[in-house]
Amino acid sequence: MFPASAPLRLRVLRIEGRRSVEQIVDGYRIECRAVRDLLVEYFTERAPELDHVSLRSIARNVCRLFWRDLKIHHPGIDSLRLAPEVAQAWKDSQ
C-alpha cells in the first residue's frame, strides 16, 4: 500500500488494479455508443493474446489518440466508416 504522501497517480493505480475492457474503454468517455461498443468488442477479442499493460496501451492509442483526434477535427462524427478524404487527412496529419 502506498503512503498518503505518494503521488495520486500511484495511489489510484493501487486502488484500481486490473480493469475490465469496458472500464478501460469507458475511461476515455467515448460519447458515441456504437463506436464505444465496437471498441469494447474489438479489445475483448484481443485481450486473451495481450498482457494487461499492452491492452491498455493499445486502447489508449485507439481511443485517445485516434478517435479523440477524429472527434476534434470532425465534430459530430459517429462512425468509423470514414469518408476517403477524412481518412487521408488523418493519415496526413500523423
Side-chain angles (χ1 to χ4, degrees):
M1 182 173 221
F2 293 107
S5 61
L8 178 60
R9 183 174 173 94
L10 288 177
R11 287 184 282 142
V12 169
L13 287 175
R14 174 75 175 134
I15 293 167
E16 286 182 2
R18 189 178 177 110
R19 300 187 312 165
S20 70
V21 169
E22 291 85 358
Q23 290 172 320
I24 293 168
V25 172
D26 288 344
Y28 294 100
R29 295 180 174 94
I30 296 173
E31 296 171 5
C32 178
R33 187 66 181 197
V35 170
R36 179 257 181 215
D37 291 347
L38 176 69
L39 293 173
V40 167
E41 184 177 338
Y42 171 71
F43 292 125
T44 299
E45 286 184 24
R46 296 279 321 268
E49 65 192 41
L50 298 169
D51 62 81
H52 196 67
V53 172
S54 297
L55 176 65
R56 289 178 69 161
S57 177
I58 293 169
R60 178 186 151 277
N61 288 339
V62 173
C63 297
R64 194 181 92 193
L65 301 179
F66 173 71
W67 182 249
R68 184 172 178 269
D69 186 66
L70 283 173
K71 291 289 290 183
I72 288 169
H73 293 95
H74 304 281
I77 192 169
D78 63 355
S79 172
L80 291 176
R81 289 190 182 108
L82 305 178
E85 63 274 7
V86 172
Q88 190 60 50
W90 189 85
K91 289 177 187 177
D92 292 344
S93 71
Q94 298 310 303

